[in-house]
């Protein structure tokens, strides 16, 4: 193999490795965005509203009310806690049985309700609370308003930070991949000029470069996916339950984004670079 071919081969390998590292960052950022979205949903859907029932409500009415609440679009799940169960839970928290201290059970039965994430915000919960309070079996509706506000504010803050980071990463990724592609095309700038001299059209000249860009982007994406898979399997070896169904779904979406990013960014950078050299004359090729 001649020295020139070795140089071109090394340049191609370096280009692919550089692009694959950038695509890996895109994949990791995509995974973080998806996981943060899933986490925010899980946190919101873990917020509980306690629908406290009146003392005289019968068991049949409790079941009917629970079914009514379950049928509401905002309700994810409900659980009925009777007086005795509530007393035992309170005794475990306090370390002392309130029934023994007071001589009677001061607690009331309640329906513990969890909301879908779309409804777990202050405005929606206020409307839900008003609706529940109008039901004749309901004595009170209790939820942690401060917690709801804190969760929603923190979720918005984290989402905003990750979104800004993702946009910056895309711009940086394009700049890095663009520079790598430009260096590759730069080495063939005189070949482009020669093809122009023999009458080749711009689209004909671009075609092999774009095809090479697609292959380069695809190979780089596959390498990046391999590196990301290795990281995840290492995490699985350290944390046995790490690879859940949600993680695998996120990984699949991240892989698709990585493939698309590798191909699209490489094609755009290649097209711009080749077009630039098509516009230059032979004298200008020596001074760029």
């Amino acid at each position: 193999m001649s020295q020139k071919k070795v140089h071109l081969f090394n340049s191609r390998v370096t280009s692919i490795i550089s692009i694959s590292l950038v695509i890996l960052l895109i994949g990791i950022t995509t995974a973080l965005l998806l996981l943060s979205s899933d986490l925010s949903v899980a946190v919101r859907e873990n917020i509980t509203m306690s629908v406290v029932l009146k003392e005289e409500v019968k068991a049949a009415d409790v079941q009917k009310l629970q079914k009514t609440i379950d049928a509401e679009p905002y309700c994810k799940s409900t659980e009925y806690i009777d007086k005795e169960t509530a007393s035992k839970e309170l005794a475990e928290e306090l370390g002392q049985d309130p029934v023994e201290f007071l001589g009677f059970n001061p607690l009331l039965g309640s329906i513990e309700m969890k909301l879908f994430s779309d409804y777990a915000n202050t405005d929606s919960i206020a409307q839900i609370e008003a609706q529940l309070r109008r039901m004749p079996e309901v004595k009170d509706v209790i939820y942690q308003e401060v917690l709801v506000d804190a969760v929603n504010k923190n979720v918005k803050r984290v989402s905003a930070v990750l979104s800004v980071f993702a946009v910056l990463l895309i711009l940086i990724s394009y700049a890095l991949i663009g520079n790598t592609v430009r260096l590759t095309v730069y080495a063939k700038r005189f070949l482009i000029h020669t093809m122009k001299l023999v009458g080749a059209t711009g689209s004909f000249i671009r075609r092999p470069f774009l095809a090479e860009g697609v292959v380069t982007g695809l190979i780089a994406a596959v390498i990046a996916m391999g590196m990301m898979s290795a990281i995840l399997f290492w995490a699985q070896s350290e944390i046995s339950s790490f690879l859940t169904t949600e993680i695998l779904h996120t990984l699949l979406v991240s892989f698709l984004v990585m493939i698309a990013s590798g191909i699209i960014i490489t094609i755009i950078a290649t097209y711009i670079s080749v077009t630039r050299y098509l516009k230059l004359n032979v004298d200008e090729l020596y001074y760029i």
Side-chain angles (χ1 to χ4, degrees):
M1 187 180 291
S2 65
Q3 185 175 357
K4 183 176 181 181
K5 289 183 178 180
V6 171
H7 176 73
L8 290 174
F9 176 78
N10 291 336
S11 176
R12 182 78 183 277
V13 171
T14 302
S15 173
I16 290 174
I17 293 175
S18 300
I19 294 173
S20 66
L21 292 174
V22 176
I23 294 175
L24 176 62
L25 289 177
I26 293 176
I28 292 174
T29 304
T30 301
L32 288 175
L33 284 170
L34 293 173
L35 289 175
S36 68
S37 177
D38 292 341
L39 181 60
S40 69
V41 170
V43 170
R44 284 172 173 163
E45 292 186 347
N46 202 40
I47 295 174
T48 302
M49 292 185 71
S50 296
V51 183
V52 182
L53 306 177
K54 294 178 180 177
E55 180 76 35
E56 64 274 11
V57 177
K58 298 179 181 179
D61 294 329
V62 171
Q63 292 180 358
K64 184 179 178 180
L65 176 61
Q66 189 172 3
K67 288 180 180 179
T68 300
I69 295 175
D70 282 331
E72 294 292 342
Y74 52 75
C75 179
K76 183 183 182 225
S77 65
T78 58
E79 180 185 4
Y80 174 59
I81 307 294
D82 57 34
K83 293 176 58 175
E84 290 71 22
T85 303
S87 178
K88 290 178 182 178
E89 291 179 354
L90 182 60
E92 291 178 359
E93 292 179 6
L94 298 177
Q96 184 179 2
D97 191 350
V99 176
E100 293 180 0
F101 179 74
L102 297 174
F104 67 96
N105 187 353
L107 303 177
L108 296 172
S110 65
I111 296 176
E112 303 296 309
M113 178 179 64
K114 292 185 178 180
L115 305 173
F116 284 109
S117 60
D118 292 339
Y119 295 91
N121 56 74
T122 305
D123 294 336
S124 296
I125 289 179
Q127 294 178 9
I128 294 169
E129 180 186 5
Q131 177 186 340
L132 293 172
R133 286 183 182 276
R134 288 194 294 268
M135 296 178 177
E137 302 88 354
V138 177
K139 181 176 182 179
D140 196 6
V141 178
I142 301 172
Y143 66 95
Q144 294 179 308
E145 187 174 356
V146 175
L147 176 62
V148 174
D149 289 336
V151 166
N152 283 285
K153 286 180 181 178
N154 288 330
V155 165
K156 289 179 181 178
R157 189 177 296 115
V158 170
S159 298
V161 171
L162 285 176
S163 298
V164 171
F165 179 74
V167 171
L168 290 176
L169 180 61
I170 290 173
L171 296 176
I172 294 171
S173 299
Y174 175 77
L176 293 174
I177 293 177
N179 286 334
T180 302
V181 171
R182 277 193 291 273
L183 289 174
T184 303
V185 177
Y186 174 81
K188 299 177 181 179
R189 64 193 187 282
F190 290 108
L191 175 60
I192 294 173
H193 181 71
T194 302
M195 294 174 72
K196 264 191 357 181
L197 292 177
V198 298
T201 62
S203 60
F204 181 84
I205 296 173
R206 291 188 192 96
R207 196 175 301 130
F209 286 96
L210 293 175
E212 183 179 345
V214 170
V215 173
T216 299
L218 187 58
I219 293 174
V222 170
I223 293 174
M225 288 189 294
M227 289 189 286
M228 191 167 178
S229 298
I231 293 172
L232 288 176
F233 281 115
W234 172 81
Q236 173 68 12
S237 66
E238 297 294 322
I239 307 172
S240 58
S241 60
F242 182 77
L243 290 180
T244 60
T245 303
E246 291 77 11
I247 293 290
L248 293 176
H249 178 264
T250 298
L251 181 62
L252 177 60
V253 175
S254 298
F255 281 175
L256 293 176
V257 171
M258 292 164 76
I259 293 173
S261 300
I263 294 175
I264 292 172
I265 296 178
T266 306
I267 287 177
I268 293 174
T270 301
Y271 183 91
I272 293 174
S273 298
V274 174
T275 300
R276 179 193 178 196
Y277 292 119
L278 284 173
K279 295 179 180 178
L280 299 178
N281 57 46
V282 65
D283 293 329
E284 291 173 323
L285 294 176
Y286 286 98
Y287 297 104
I288 59 173

